[in-house]
Every structure is written in C-alpha cells, then in structure tokens.
Amino acid sequence: MAILDNSPGTIDTVRPRVQGKFIFVGDEKFYVRGVSYGAFQPDEDGNEYFDNEVINKDFASMAANGINTVRIPHTTPPRSLLDIAQDHGLRVMVGLSAEQYIGYLIDKKKSPNINEIIRAKVNACAGHPAILCYGIGNEIPASIVRWLGHRRVERYIEDLYLTIKSVDPDSLVTYVNYPTTEYLQLPFLDFLCFNVYLESQGPFEAYLARLHNIAGERPLVMSEIGLDSLRNGEDTQASVLEWQIRSTFNAGCAGVVIFSWTDEWYRGGAEVDDWGFGLTTNDRIAKPSLAVVREAYKKVPIESNGNWPSVSVIVCTYNGAERIRDCCEGLTRLDYPNYEIIFVNDGSTDATLEIINEYDIQVINTKNNGLSNARNTGLNAAQGEIIAYLDDDAYPDEHWLTYLTTSFNNSKYSGIGGPNISPPDDGFVSECVTNAPGNPVHVLLSDQEAEHIPGCNMAFRKDDLQKIGGFDPQFRVAGDDVDICWRLQQNGATLGINPAATVWHHRRNSVRSYWKQQVGYGKAESQLMRKWPQKHNSLGHWLWRGRIYGPGLTRALPFRRSQVFHGSWGSAPFQSLYNPGPGTLLSLSLMPEWYFLIATLFGLSLLGIMWKPMMIAAPFLILAVALPIIQAVQSSKEATYSNRNRSTLEKLKIRTLTSYLHIIQPLARLWGRMHNYSFIRRHNHKLNLAIPIVRTSSYWSENWVAPEKRLEIVEESLQSENVVVLRGGDYDRWDLEVRDGMLSSVRTFMAVEDHGSGNQLIRFRSWPRVDPVSLILISLFAILAILAANDQAWITGSILGIVAVFLITRIIWSCSTAMASLLNAIDQGEGEKVS
C-alpha cells in the first residue's frame, strides 16, 4: 500500500489537505495513526506542556512505535511542543477547547470575546508544519446543546470555523463530536471526528457505517477509541484495541486516535488515578496494548490475509475521448495485486481508441450496440471472480479495489458500490452540476445494505451476474444499473456499500450536456417503468424503499420541522436527528408532472382574456411557478461548495446556476419520458377493445394448479404482450392491475374453489378504476365549460369542453384496451369457461 512515510525527521512541510474521503499530504494519503496526549497537571504558571524533556522522550517513543499523529484534546499546545513533534515526524491535532466557552451563549453578560480568544490561540500556532488540523472543541455536553438548541450550537461552531480560517486559511479544521450529539449538522468542517467507546465489535462496526453516512463525501476520523485496562485487564485492552483499529480502517476511515498514550491524566484540578486507558503506565512502562497498536498500525490501511480475489475492471466507452485519459491514468495507479483491465470500445468515432492504445490495456472493439451490450461483452471476456464496472469519465482511488474486495471477503453481498465524487478543480459549472439533482447516487436500506448502487462505481460477484444473464440489452444509455440491482434482489441477492471504495467522477461541464444527460435518464426511466411497473407509482416515479444519499438532492419545503431523539430527560447515549418526509403534497412540485400543471394553469389564465372568471387561475399559476423556484433556491443555499471564500458576487453566481439546474432537471426528465412515450403503452399485439364495465367470469379446470401460479400465468401473459401490470400489495383487495397510461387502470380479483380430485372452479371479478385526480380535472373542466357557455363565452367554453371530452375519451379508451388485455390473458391462462 502506498502510505506517506512518517518516520522520525521526515515530516513534510506541505500542509495537509482533504480530497474526498481521505487526507493527503502532497500526492500521498496520510492515514492518521494517532494517540491522545494529556491533559497533564500544569505548572505554577498554568502551563500544561512545560516539560520539554518528557515531551521529547514521549514523542520519540511514539514515533518508534509507528504513531504519526498526536492529539492534544483539551489545551492548545505551545509552539515548543509543535517543534518537538516536527523533530520526530509527528503531526499534531491542535485542540482549541471551544467547548469550555459554550456556557457564555447562555450567560451573555459575563461573556468574553470568544472569537478573539480562539483567534489568539490559532495565531500562536498558525502555519507550523507539524499541524495536522485544529479541533474547534471536544464533546460539547448534550444537555447544553439541548438547552441552546442544535442550530444555535451549529452556528457557534461555524462562526469559530470561519475565525480559524481567517487566521490560518490553509489549515484543516474539525470538531470532535460524540454519539450523544451526533445530530449536529456541520457540513462546513473539512473532516469529521468522533469519539466512540463501544466494546463489542458488531455494534462498533455498525456505528462506523452510520457515521460514514453522516460524513458523506468527507473523511471520517475516530478521534478517540480505547478501553480501561484497570477494570478490564491489560490483555483485554490489547485485544479490543487490535480489532477496533482493524475495523476502523477496514470501514474506510481516514484515521484513528487511541485514548491515550499514558495513564497519567489530570482533570478537574486533580490527578485521576482510578483508571488505565493508557498504552503506557504513569511511569511510561509499556503495556501489552502498545505492541498490539504498533503491529496494527503497520498494516494500515487494510490488513491482508493473502486472500485477494481476482478482479476484472471493465470500462465501457462510446466517444469518451474528452475524459478517458484520466480514467486510464487512474487505472494504472491502482494498488491491488490481482486484477485485469478490459476496455470495451462501443463503436467510438472520436479519438477514444487512439488514447486507450497508448496504455498497456486490453481493448475489445464492437459496433455501437449500447451500454448494456458493452457491459455484457466485458463480462463474457472477464477472468476475474469479481467484476468491477467503472465509467469512462471516472477514475478510481488507488485503493478502490482493496476496499471493494475487503467488503466482498467480509460479507455475502452479491454487489458492492462506493461513492462517486466530483474531482476538485473541475470547474464552476461542474461544481454546480454536482449540487444539482440527477447525479448518480446510492440508495441505502440501512447503514450497510444498499437498494441501489450507481453504474459508475459498482462491482459484482461474477457468478451472480451470470446467474441472471447479465445486463438487459434494451438499456442502451442508462437505467442498466437500476435494472441489474432490482434483478439481483429479485433473485434473493443483497447489495452493500463501502464508503472508502471511491471513484472520482467528472460531472457534466455545460448546461447543454447536463440537459442531454437528464433527457437520457428520462428515456431510461420510461423503459424501467414498462419493465418494472411494480417499482413505480401511477405517475411513473421510482418507489425506493431506502434512503437516497448524495449531493444535489432537492429539498422539500421546510414546513415540517426536524426532531432530535434525546431520550427521556436527555439521557439517550446515542441521539439522532430525524427529518420527517415531505409528504405527498409537498413532494408534488418536485415532480416533472408539476410542469403539466403549470402549462394547464397558464392556458387557463390565457382564456381569462376572453372570459374574465378564468383569471382566477392566475394566482394559482403564480404559486405553481413559485414553489419549484423556492425549492431550487433553498436547495442551492443548503448545498456545500468547495470554496467558502468566494466573493458575494461569485456566491450569487454559483447559487443562481445551481438553482437553475434544479428547475430544468425535472423538465429534462419529463421531455425524455415523453420522447420515449413513457405514458402511452405501445402494444406488440393486435389492438382489442372491451367495454370497461364490472365483469365476472368463471372457469372450470380439472387440472389442479396453485392459485398463486394461476395468477403468475395471467401476469406473464400480460407481460409478454408488453402490458404494464402490477401486483396487489399485502393490504389490497385486488390481485393484478393493468395500466394503459396514468389516468386509469383495470383491476382483477381471483377466488378459487377446490372441488376434489384436482378439480377447481376459478372466479375472476374485473373492474375499471379511474384515478381520482382525473375525475377532479374532468369535473373542473366540465363545470367551467358550462359556466363559460352560460355567460356566452362560446370560444372559451368550447375549448374547456373539448379538454373535458378528450380526458373522458382517453380514460374510456385506456380502460377498454386494458380490460381487453386482461380478459384475453385470463382466457388463455384458465380452463373451460363457465360464465
């Protein structure tokens, strides 16, 4: 593994920086292999770190034992300590102890200038090459946060963050949180730190997964883990620390800090002598845990047991010359012992093939058969046990395959995904696109299990892909990843996520290319709607069971406040923030179909020129237009941008473009769906019509078949005719629903009587169903037409009447074709018709 060397005397003067899920110094990852140091009894002048001789010996011993980071949690260290750290190749997490001033937000009359206090502390250390980061504070008490409210505490921390950046702008800044105030939302921090004391491996690893979802695309550092050897024994302390370190790095954390270096500890004006969290005793005698930590730190980032499964990395490309060089370069830097690379050139007409041929990479050239066919071509040629797919406009982190295969080795998941992060310095428009909706995101059923993993970063066990026949060729541009995930889960498989298996994914760099991408996604949605109607609602929107993670999500209007679970009297050790769903009404304006409503209200407002009462539609039109704009502005405001030091004009520019992208994205998806006729069913069979009334039919069969199987036969017959059919749910009094558009459908219910000797009487009751919204629209247009005609506004009345008649005709037609399809499928699947 390529890890930054931090042996004594080799500390780099380059300031650390954050890139994605990791901390870097220069071009190398810096994994925090840390230990906490202090607090110690101060001298008579109140100086805690005054004995440079002791500090020098301690730091020399730390460096000799593989430690590269010292965390000073409670007191800002003097510059002399930083000098000693530099001499031994150690980085320092500088504590600013802002938690001790939080009470002044309550007792304002006695409050000092907290910003000036923090500014002075930073000034004393600013620019020192040994600094890893500043820690604003450490564990603000949950009761105080509950007293003040989490938003006020969040503003307090952010204000201090900006103060630190104003003094030392190139520094990294974090805040050390803990589970009892997990709900604090601090998106401005450079990386997240958590103190976590869990002594059981399962809960510890589960909580790491949760913290990664909170951290998002930023690094996560465990800033305190440990065990008291006084109560648990020194051998137990050593064994627990061993698996805690291994689990932390295997989970993709950027580092860990052991609490603490020594049992010597001074708090509250007295020595603490009834515990033993140190790796050494008060006299600096090493405990067994020090040797264990030393060996564990040697294996960072991931301990190898020699079991590295073979991996085939497959990149499918069509005219990807603009970004494919980055992809090739990234693949050549992979740090993994057992992999192959296969490029499938899907009929490119630009310089794609010439660029790939500059590298020692296997290429398969095909005609332009679409993305799914290209993925299958790579699958058929692959030799690896694991198939990892990467987009041609993405490039992997060097340890991408290491993290993926570790997850496969430690789980039974059929597929594993990871984050896809926009590269730094990709441009103004790309950053806006990153914060716009419609980018590839993962959907999680839990903190560890996924419902969907995006196609730009997904890996599967080869056998599981082959069992379901690979990818569906109908998905030529997009939708293939959604389909493959659903098919695997339908086959009983599960999917997982590794937050450190990162790829850098270039976003679209122009509004035009973003529009084109979203139109393509809209077309794919319509294909998925026809294939997976049970996964969509009546408007054609995906019904995810899990939660969507990633930037660019449109915020629903904040009419319902979030709540923090504190526990009774604020006693819960793990306190979380719960955001209620926006509900159906508040979600409507996020849907592409909302623009149909805008167009309808606009048309009605125009009719007001000829018939004054129709002007009542104008206020509703204004509201309909305003809602998506408000949500777009709110979403751009809450987005996280890379450079917080932009001028006011630059901030306005980037937020305006981000808001604009939020507004046009649903339009692009809608255009793509309409272009692909997503709401009009195209039959592969001869068109039949049946009068849409309630129908009851009976069939006699002397061949016994399980009722569930009979329904499956009917369902398969409908699907073979390209008919959209849904299954009833656990609480529905119907079994199958046939749709022909979004306005209406036909449902059927089956009952079976057993008559012995394998004989069955099968009954079906089928009936049309009209969407309530359709009835409201028809009634509205009909009433308005009558009122307009009564006022002799004949043109307006005629137009409104024609719309009402069109809707009625469309509903009757849809119900007729759906009923005919259903009856035909029932006749084919059952026995002799009785009635």
Side-chain angles (χ1 to χ4, degrees):
M1 301 298 172
I3 304 172
L4 187 68
D5 179 25
N6 280 97
S7 55
T10 63
I11 194 167
D12 200 320
T13 57
V14 177
R15 302 295 296 273
R17 61 185 174 86
V18 162
Q19 187 169 319
K21 295 291 292 183
F22 299 101
I23 299 171
F24 284 77
V25 175
D27 294 327
E28 300 290 341
K29 284 181 183 174
F30 182 88
Y31 287 94
V32 175
R33 295 169 288 173
V35 68
S36 181
Y37 193 60
F40 302 126
Q41 182 173 0
D43 63 12
E44 57 186 15
D45 296 322
N47 300 311
E48 181 180 338
Y49 299 96
F50 62 89
D51 194 334
N52 288 343
E53 182 178 350
V54 172
I55 295 171
N56 188 67
K57 289 180 180 180
D58 284 342
F59 283 13
S61 182
M62 291 177 191
N65 282 280
I67 293 165
N68 66 7
T69 301
V70 181
R71 181 182 168 219
I72 311 297
H74 303 293
T75 306
T76 304
R79 206 168 181 92
S80 59
L81 182 145
L82 300 176
D83 293 336
I84 298 171
Q86 183 180 7
D87 291 340
H88 293 286
L90 300 175
R91 298 275 177 176
V92 180
M93 298 176 69
V94 175
L96 300 177
S97 304
E99 75 279 358
Q100 65 182 297
Y101 308 114
I102 190 72
Y104 289 120
L105 296 186
I106 302 172
D107 302 320
K108 291 184 176 181
K109 291 181 179 180
K110 305 175 184 178
S111 174
N113 191 325
I114 300 173
N115 285 77
E116 288 306 314
I117 294 174
I118 298 300
R119 185 183 299 275
K121 290 184 176 185
V122 176
N123 263 320
C125 303
H128 197 288
I131 293 177
L132 173 66
C133 67
Y134 296 101
I136 294 174
N138 182 73
E139 297 188 1
I140 294 175
S143 60
I144 300 300
V145 179
R146 189 176 177 216
W147 180 289
L148 292 166
H150 67 90
R151 290 183 179 84
R152 193 171 175 191
V153 175
E154 289 160 3
R155 290 194 296 269
Y156 171 73
I157 296 174
E158 182 173 17
D159 189 39
L160 296 181
Y161 168 90
L162 295 173
T163 297
I164 297 167
K165 287 290 189 177
S166 69
V167 178
D168 196 354
D170 295 328
S171 64
L172 298 181
V173 181
T174 187
Y175 165 75
V176 179
N177 206 347
Y178 71 135
T180 321
T181 55
E182 170 203 287
Y183 52 83
L184 289 174
Q185 299 182 75
L186 309 169
F188 47 86
L189 296 176
D190 295 312
F191 63 95
L192 260 61
C193 282
F194 266 83
N195 299 338
V196 177
Y197 291 91
L198 286 170
E199 299 172 13
S200 298
Q201 189 169 358
F204 181 79
E205 292 178 349
Y207 195 61
L208 287 178
R210 175 169 179 78
L211 292 180
H212 268 295
N213 290 327
I214 293 173
E217 296 182 351
R218 294 170 295 169
L220 173 64
V221 172
M222 291 293 99
S223 44
E224 276 186 22
I225 62 171
L227 190 71
D228 180 10
S229 65
L230 188 65
R231 292 166 178 80
N232 298 281
E234 292 185 355
D235 290 338
T236 301
Q237 179 197 37
S239 64
V240 169
L241 282 176
E242 191 276 332
W243 66 251
Q244 283 184 332
I245 294 172
R246 184 179 67 250
S247 295
T248 298
F249 284 107
N250 284 357
C253 291
V256 65
V257 177
I258 308 298
F259 183 79
S260 65
W261 172 247
T262 173
D263 285 345
E264 181 185 352
W265 210 57
Y266 184 90
R267 291 296 286 168
E271 292 282 355
V272 179
D273 57 8
D274 63 342
W275 70 332
F277 277 80
L279 300 177
T280 67
T281 66
N282 286 12
D283 299 327
R284 304 312 195 260
I285 298 173
K287 299 179 185 179
S289 56
L290 181 59
V292 167
V293 168
R294 179 176 63 245
E295 291 305 309
Y297 278 168
K298 286 181 181 178
K299 300 169 183 176
V300 170
I302 290 180
E303 180 179 358
S304 169
N305 58 5
N307 182 21
W308 296 116
S310 58
V311 181
S312 297
V313 179
I314 298 174
V315 182
C316 304
T317 181
Y318 172 69
N319 288 346
E322 181 181 359
R323 297 281 176 76
I324 204 165
R325 189 177 298 278
D326 285 347
C327 182
C328 294
E329 292 285 347
L331 289 171
T332 61
R333 292 193 295 267
L334 282 173
D335 187 359
Y336 190 77
N338 189 12
Y339 73 101
E340 65 174 348
I341 303 171
I342 301 173
F343 271 75
V344 181
N345 178 31
D346 189 34
S348 297
T349 56
D350 62 0
T352 295
L353 184 59
E354 289 81 354
I355 295 173
I356 299 173
N357 286 334
E358 296 177 19
Y359 300 84
D360 185 20
I361 293 175
Q362 178 183 352
V363 184
I364 301 174
N365 293 300
T366 67
K367 295 180 180 179
N368 182 226
N369 295 318
L371 180 57
S372 287
N373 273 309
R375 292 200 194 276
N376 288 333
T377 298
L379 172 64
N380 294 333
Q383 302 297 314
E385 305 166 57
I386 304 297
I387 310 297
Y389 287 99
L390 180 72
D391 278 4
D392 61 356
D393 57 353
Y395 59 94
D397 175 82
E398 61 183 313
H399 299 130
W400 175 51
L401 296 183
T402 304
Y403 285 112
L404 285 176
T405 54
T406 298
S407 289
F408 278 115
N409 287 341
N410 296 331
S411 72
K412 295 183 180 180
Y413 292 132
S414 292
I416 305 280
N420 65 101
I421 303 175
S422 179
D425 306 321
D426 227 12
F428 170 81
V429 176
S430 292
E431 186 170 11
C432 294
V433 170
T434 298
N435 287 294
N439 287 301
V441 294
H442 47 269
V443 182
L444 298 187
L445 294 169
S446 68
D447 290 319
Q448 295 171 297
E449 184 178 346
E451 182 178 6
H452 167 66
I453 51 179
C456 57
N457 181 10
M458 60 182 184
F460 304 97
R461 299 184 195 272
K462 184 180 180 181
D463 291 345
D464 290 340
L465 277 185
Q466 292 176 328
K467 283 179 184 177
I468 62 171
F471 292 82
D472 187 339
Q474 72 169 296
F475 299 102
R476 292 182 55 86
V477 178
D480 56 298
D481 52 350
V482 178
D483 176 70
I484 202 74
C485 290
W486 284 344
R487 287 166 58 209
L488 283 168
Q489 290 168 99
Q490 186 184 56
N491 205 42
T494 56
L495 307 174
I497 197 82
N498 187 307
T502 304
V503 303
W504 300 96
H505 189 203
H506 293 288
R507 307 305 192 216
R508 297 300 188 266
N509 56 7
S510 71
V511 175
R512 181 180 180 182
S513 60
Y514 174 73
W515 171 271
K516 184 178 179 181
Q517 177 196 47
Q518 298 306 310
V519 170
Y521 287 167
K523 294 177 182 178
E525 285 175 351
S526 66
Q527 292 174 298
L528 288 165
M529 169 63 181
R530 285 197 297 272
K531 183 173 182 179
W532 296 93
Q534 69 273 26
K535 296 284 189 178
H536 297 74
N537 62 19
S538 60
L539 293 176
H541 299 292
W542 295 337
L543 298 173
W544 295 117
R545 291 179 295 142
R547 179 178 176 183
I548 302 173
Y549 285 84
L553 302 179
T554 302
R555 271 60 172 181
L557 294 175
F559 293 144
R560 299 174 67 186
R561 296 185 61 184
S562 59
Q563 290 182 307
V564 176
F565 169 73
H566 292 290
S568 178
W569 296 352
S571 60
F574 293 81
Q575 301 186 16
S576 302
L577 181 71
Y578 293 90
N579 288 303
T584 303
L585 290 177
L586 295 181
S587 298
L588 288 176
S589 60
L590 306 178
M591 299 178 181
E593 288 77 15
W594 186 260
Y595 290 88
F596 277 139
L597 174 62
I598 292 176
T600 300
L601 291 172
F602 179 72
L604 293 176
S605 298
L606 287 180
L607 291 177
I609 298 173
M610 295 179 287
W611 186 44
K612 294 288 186 180
M614 291 305 302
M615 290 303 296
I616 195 174
F620 294 99
L621 173 63
I622 295 172
L623 179 61
V625 172
L627 282 178
I629 294 175
I630 293 171
Q631 288 176 315
V633 172
Q634 179 72 14
S635 299
S636 67
K637 181 182 177 182
E638 294 184 17
T640 301
Y641 301 99
S642 61
N643 184 1
R644 296 179 59 86
N645 296 319
R646 287 186 171 96
S647 67
T648 302
L649 183 60
E650 289 173 328
K651 290 179 181 178
L652 178 62
K653 182 180 178 182
I654 196 169
R655 287 178 177 171
T656 300
L657 180 55
T658 304
S659 299
Y660 177 68
L661 295 176
H662 274 270
I663 292 170
I664 68 170
Q665 190 266 350
L667 273 172
R669 290 287 180 102
L670 181 61
W671 180 254
R673 292 182 193 176
M674 293 176 64
H675 184 78
N676 216 28
Y677 304 101
S678 67
F679 57 91
I680 300 176
R681 177 167 57 87
R682 292 179 290 178
H683 296 268
N684 291 332
H685 60 82
K686 184 178 179 181
L687 180 64
N688 292 314
L689 298 174
I691 299 174
I693 57 176
V694 178
R695 295 172 177 266
T696 301
S697 54
S698 302
Y699 300 83
W700 179 260
S701 174
E702 297 179 357
N703 179 27
W704 191 91
V705 177
E708 296 82 3
K709 182 61 179 176
R710 289 194 181 277
L711 284 171
E712 288 177 2
I713 293 171
V714 175
E715 181 184 43
E716 290 170 1
S717 176
L718 288 165
Q719 290 174 340
S720 68
E721 298 296 335
N722 198 30
V723 175
V724 177
V725 56
L726 280 75
R727 292 186 176 190
D730 295 335
Y731 299 94
D732 293 322
R733 292 192 62 191
W734 53 272
D735 297 319
L736 296 174
E737 179 179 88
V738 179
R739 290 181 184 171
D740 186 9
M742 66 177 68
L743 301 179
S744 59
S745 62
V746 170
R747 289 176 175 175
T748 191
F749 172 78
M750 184 188 75
V752 178
E753 298 177 15
D754 287 319
H755 288 265
S757 302
N759 298 322
Q760 290 177 308
L761 181 63
I762 306 105
R763 303 179 190 273
F764 283 91
R765 183 170 70 247
S766 307
W767 66 94
R769 175 185 176 275
V770 180
D771 189 275
V773 175
S774 302
L775 293 176
I776 294 173
L777 287 175
I778 292 171
S779 301
L780 175 64
F781 281 107
I783 292 171
L784 290 174
I786 293 171
L787 292 175
N790 190 54
D791 283 351
Q792 298 184 353
W794 304 114
I795 297 178
T796 301
S798 299
I799 293 173
L800 293 170
I802 290 171
V803 172
V805 170
F806 171 79
L807 291 174
I808 294 171
T809 304
R810 175 61 187 164
I811 288 173
I812 294 174
W813 179 272
S814 298
C815 287
S816 299
T817 56
M819 182 68 77
S821 298
L822 178 61
L823 296 177
N824 181 62
I826 292 173
D827 286 341
Q828 290 181 2
E830 305 307 330
E832 180 183 350
K833 192 169 184 180
V834 178
S835 61

